[in-house]
């Protein structure tokens, strides 16, 4: 029986990671027999990756990862086929040669380094020197079997300096297949508005840079992505709400830009509790939260992702995660289930070709692996760009450096199941499974699943139980329909 967990199952063995988010009296339920659903499409080998290392603190540099066998092992466990450099808002101010932010005299007129970024490179972490230079990042690719995704600094750097990134990688024998042009300019930061007063200015520069990159033979086959936006509220600023539609209008007929970037962060939307940093929530809260995030992600797939597909372009999800400062849930198994539900719902979009959680290493707020032993002490580790305010789980245990977080364990289970897959099919639990929260949606169930097809009749299932109680599943019918022999009739 599967109780609040994500399970991976293939035809030669199965492996289970339990994801308990609450304690409830167990309720015996009727056995559910899923069938294959209507979603069936190909996926690229490198669909799953990770946004790069947190990189902002002394224990988070790429050199820390490179010089520790435990971190390299965990990096391999995550099966990230694409790693992003230098991923996130920091990339808008990044100097790839320095492996840190541009110096003040190198920034364009009128732009200052944001005050929550330290202009000085952090001190070393013990005997390991702090180093985020491009060459160090490249050295992490081989042991992780990953490809790079370059986030070019289109905000505060210039074309020639950023192009040199691709040449530097080429001299090391690394092919540049994926390029992003900037990060989250749809937000209202003064620097973004100064350089890109509106999306038309961004589109013009993005088309210019992509055209120039494509004209250079070593990089003519690289896929280039422009920055889109998701908006799930009519109260979002107009810049964000209108960004994607106007961008696609500008790119109509352009063949140099082949993908659009989307990011998604959501809170748990729990029923309000008294005070901040609540450590108390109940089964109904968790059910509603899971139903809400699946619904929100599905709406993104059916709206923004569909718009991008209709324009004949790929969608790259290069950042997503839980983002909630009101409840002590970051770093927990709830966080793992919540973010995994986003990842699995993205598979409903056939043009989504990159799915990359934020972020690879750091603390338990967002990361896939801990870079230190205080990874759940967000007062200590949640400063810098994130600002303070994320709630520690209580009591706050110590963490093991370079062990996978709850999120990392869940993601690794899914990426391992997908390794070598060429297509995916969804599982339909509508006949027999209980609706997760009818007030949110009558079409989201306690049980969910995907089949990763590999070769002949081989493949892996990912099965998720969002409920607080066990849900027995009978796979006989679905395996028979897939001509797949199985010695056991039930997965328990």
């Amino acid at each position: 029986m599967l109780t609040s967990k994500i399970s991976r199952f293939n035809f030669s063995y199965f492996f289970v990671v339990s994801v308990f988010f609450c304690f409830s009296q167990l309720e015996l339920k009727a056995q559910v027999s899923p069938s294959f659903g209507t979603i069936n499409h190909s996926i690229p080998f490198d669909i799953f990756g990770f946004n790069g290392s947190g990189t902002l603190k002394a224990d988070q540099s790429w050199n820390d990862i490179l010089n520790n066998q435990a971190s390299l092992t965990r990096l391999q466990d995550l099966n990230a086929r694409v790693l992003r450099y230098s991923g996130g808002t920091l990339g808008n101010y990044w100097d790839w040669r320095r492996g840190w932010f541009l110096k003040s005299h190198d920034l364009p007129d009128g732009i200052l380094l944001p005050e929550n970024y330290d202009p000085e490179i952090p001190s070393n972490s013990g005997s390991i020197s702090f180093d985020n230079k491009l060459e160090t990042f490249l050295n992490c690719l081989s042991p992780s079997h990953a490809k790079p995704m370059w986030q070019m600094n289109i905000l505060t750097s210039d074309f020639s300096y950023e192009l040199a990134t691709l040449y530097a990688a080429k001299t090391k024998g690394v092919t540049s297949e994926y390029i992003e042009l900037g990060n989250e300019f749809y937000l209202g930061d003064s620097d973004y508005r100064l350089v890109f007063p509106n999306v038309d200015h961004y589109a013009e520069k993005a088309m210019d840079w992509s055209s120039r990159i494509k004209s250079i033979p070593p990089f003519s086959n690289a896929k280039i992505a422009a920055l889109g936006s998701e908006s799930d509220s009519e109260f979002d600023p107009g810049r964000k709400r209108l960004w994607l539609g106007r961008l696609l209008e500008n790119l109509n007929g352009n063949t140099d830009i082949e993908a659009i970037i989307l990011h998604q962060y959501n809170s748990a939307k729990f029923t309000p509790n008294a005070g901040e940093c609540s450590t108390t929530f109940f089964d109904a809260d968790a059910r509603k939260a899971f139903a809400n995030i699946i619904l929100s992600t599905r709406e993104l797939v059916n709206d923004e992702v569909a718009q991008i597909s209709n324009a004949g372009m790929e969608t790259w999800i290069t950042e997503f995660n839980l983002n909630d400062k009101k409840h002590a849930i970051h770093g927990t198994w709830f966080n793992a289930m919540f973010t995994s539900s986003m990842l699995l719902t993205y598979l409903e979009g056939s043009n989504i070709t990159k799915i990359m959680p934020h972020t690879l290493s750091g603390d338990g707020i967002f990361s896939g692996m801990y870079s230190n032993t205080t990874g759940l002490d967000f007062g200590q580790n949640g400063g810098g760009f994130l600002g303070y305010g994320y709630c520690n789980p209580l009591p706050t245990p110590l963490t093991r450096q370079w062990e996978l977080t709850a999120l990392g364990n869940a993601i690794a289970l899914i990426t391992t199941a997908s390794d070598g897959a060429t297509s995916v099919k969804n599982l339909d639990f509508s006949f027999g499974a209980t609706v997760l929260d009818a007030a949110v949606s009558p079409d989201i169930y306690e049980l969910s699943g995907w089949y990763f097809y590999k070769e002949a009749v081989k493949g892996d299932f990912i099965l998720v139980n969002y409920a607080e109680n066990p849900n027995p599943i009978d796979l006989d019918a679905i395996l028979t329909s897939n001509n797949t022999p199985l010695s056991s009739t039930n997965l328990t």
Side-chain angles (χ1 to χ4, degrees):
M1 292 180 181
L2 305 176
T3 307
S4 308
K5 65 176 64 174
I6 301 173
S7 301
R8 170 178 169 248
F9 176 63
N10 76 7
F11 309 135
S12 57
Y13 61 93
F14 84 89
F15 181 52
V16 173
V17 170
S18 297
V19 190
F20 294 94
F21 59 80
C22 53
F23 295 93
S24 303
Q25 183 176 355
L26 295 184
E27 172 189 336
L28 185 62
K29 294 197 173 186
Q31 188 166 265
V32 178
S33 298
S35 60
F36 282 121
T38 59
I39 300 172
N40 182 4
H41 61 79
S42 62
I43 57 171
F45 171 77
D46 55 4
I47 186 171
F48 294 122
F50 254 92
N51 192 11
S53 173
T55 68
L56 293 177
K57 293 185 177 291
D59 51 24
Q60 296 177 0
S61 77
W62 286 106
N63 202 40
D64 286 275
I65 295 176
L66 184 63
N67 285 281
N68 190 300
Q69 185 56 50
S71 61
L72 290 176
T73 299
R74 296 298 170 262
L75 187 55
Q76 293 169 358
D77 290 342
L78 288 170
N79 286 287
R81 297 307 179 193
V82 182
L83 294 174
R84 191 173 175 228
Y85 181 95
S86 53
T89 303
L90 60 86
N92 292 333
Y93 302 89
W94 197 253
D95 182 339
W96 63 270
R97 282 198 172 98
R98 190 174 182 228
W100 197 242
F101 303 114
L102 288 164
K103 294 183 177 181
S104 58
H105 62 263
D106 291 324
L107 293 169
D109 291 342
I111 293 181
L112 299 175
L113 187 66
E115 60 182 17
N116 46 11
Y117 284 155
D118 190 341
E120 301 301 323
I121 298 176
S123 58
N124 297 341
S125 175
S127 61
I128 301 176
S129 60
F130 185 90
D131 184 352
N132 281 317
K133 295 184 180 71
L134 180 138
E135 291 82 2
T136 305
F137 166 74
L138 291 175
N139 288 333
C140 289
L141 294 177
S142 179
S144 64
H145 310 293
K147 302 173 183 178
M149 177 179 286
W150 306 114
Q151 183 190 307
M152 285 193 162
N153 182 356
I154 195 173
L155 182 77
T156 58
S157 187
D158 61 54
F159 178 79
S160 296
Y161 194 75
E162 295 303 298
L163 181 66
T165 304
L166 309 185
Y167 278 110
K170 185 176 182 296
T171 63
K172 298 293 185 179
V174 176
T175 302
S176 296
E177 294 186 33
Y178 306 118
I179 298 169
E180 287 184 293
L181 299 176
N183 186 80
E184 297 184 355
F185 298 135
Y186 49 79
L187 299 178
D189 300 43
S190 59
D191 293 344
Y192 301 170
R193 289 182 175 275
L194 178 66
V195 178
F196 305 117
N198 58 49
V199 66
D200 295 346
H201 295 88
Y202 169 74
E204 181 180 5
K205 191 169 185 178
M207 288 188 287
D208 175 55
W209 278 41
S210 61
S211 174
R212 293 162 73 181
I213 292 169
K214 291 279 194 174
S215 70
I216 302 170
F219 316 121
S220 57
N221 292 325
K223 286 190 174 181
I224 302 176
L227 179 65
S229 68
E230 64 84 26
S231 176
D232 61 0
S233 172
E234 61 180 310
F235 301 108
D236 281 340
R239 181 179 175 94
K240 185 179 182 182
R241 284 189 291 105
L242 302 175
W243 184 279
L244 177 60
R246 185 62 183 164
L247 175 68
L248 294 176
E249 290 178 15
N250 276 277
L251 297 182
N252 186 27
N254 181 280
T255 58
D256 296 320
I257 296 174
E258 298 169 82
I260 299 294
I261 305 155
L262 294 179
H263 294 168
Q264 183 185 10
Y265 292 92
N266 289 73
S267 67
K269 296 182 179 178
F270 284 160
T271 302
N273 298 108
E276 296 294 315
C277 283
S278 171
T279 58
T280 302
F281 60 97
F282 302 96
D283 296 346
D285 296 316
R287 295 174 70 92
K288 184 178 290 292
F290 292 144
N292 270 317
I293 189 55
I294 293 170
L295 180 64
S296 295
T297 306
R298 187 165 289 162
E299 287 173 345
L300 180 141
V301 171
N302 293 331
D303 185 355
E304 286 92 343
V305 173
Q307 291 181 52
I308 296 167
S309 178
N310 291 337
M313 307 176 79
E314 297 178 14
T315 299
W316 296 356
I317 311 288
T318 59
E319 290 185 32
F320 66 97
N321 213 312
L322 169 72
N323 189 18
D324 194 310
K325 291 188 175 183
K326 293 184 178 181
H327 305 89
I329 50 179
H330 278 274
T332 68
W333 282 114
F334 174 87
N335 188 170
M337 292 286 289
F338 187 95
T339 306
S340 296
S341 72
M342 299 170 74
L343 181 152
L344 292 170
T345 307
Y346 294 139
L347 292 174
E348 296 179 12
S350 61
N351 70 316
I352 297 178
T353 57
K354 296 290 172 285
I355 302 175
M356 303 168 65
H358 175 74
T359 185
L360 179 64
S361 66
D363 55 44
I365 298 175
F366 295 125
S367 302
M369 55 184 176
Y370 296 113
S371 63
N372 55 41
T373 59
T374 56
L376 292 173
D377 184 353
F378 304 149
Q380 176 172 330
N381 295 289
F385 173 71
L386 293 175
Y388 295 98
Y390 288 89
C391 307
N392 295 359
L394 296 175
T396 306
L398 293 176
T399 54
R400 291 183 180 178
Q401 188 178 31
W402 304 123
E403 285 295 331
L404 296 181
T405 63
L407 171 66
N409 273 293
I411 298 296
L413 197 61
I414 298 169
T415 57
T416 300
S418 73
D419 193 19
T422 57
S423 64
V424 291
K425 296 179 181 180
N426 72 311
L427 272 60
D428 183 354
F429 286 93
S430 60
F431 296 99
T434 303
V435 172
L436 193 54
D437 189 304
V440 175
S441 172
D443 301 316
I444 297 174
Y445 299 93
E446 290 181 344
L447 295 171
S448 176
W450 287 88
Y451 174 61
F452 292 91
Y453 176 84
K454 297 184 179 181
E455 58 180 76
V457 292
K458 295 181 180 179
D460 282 271
F461 286 99
I462 285 291
L463 304 171
V464 186
N465 179 18
Y466 293 106
E468 63 276 14
N469 292 304
N471 264 303
I473 300 174
D474 184 353
L475 292 178
D476 268 1
I478 201 168
L479 293 173
T480 301
S481 71
N482 206 40
N483 297 317
T484 303
L486 186 68
S487 58
S488 174
T489 58
N490 291 282
L491 176 61
T492 57

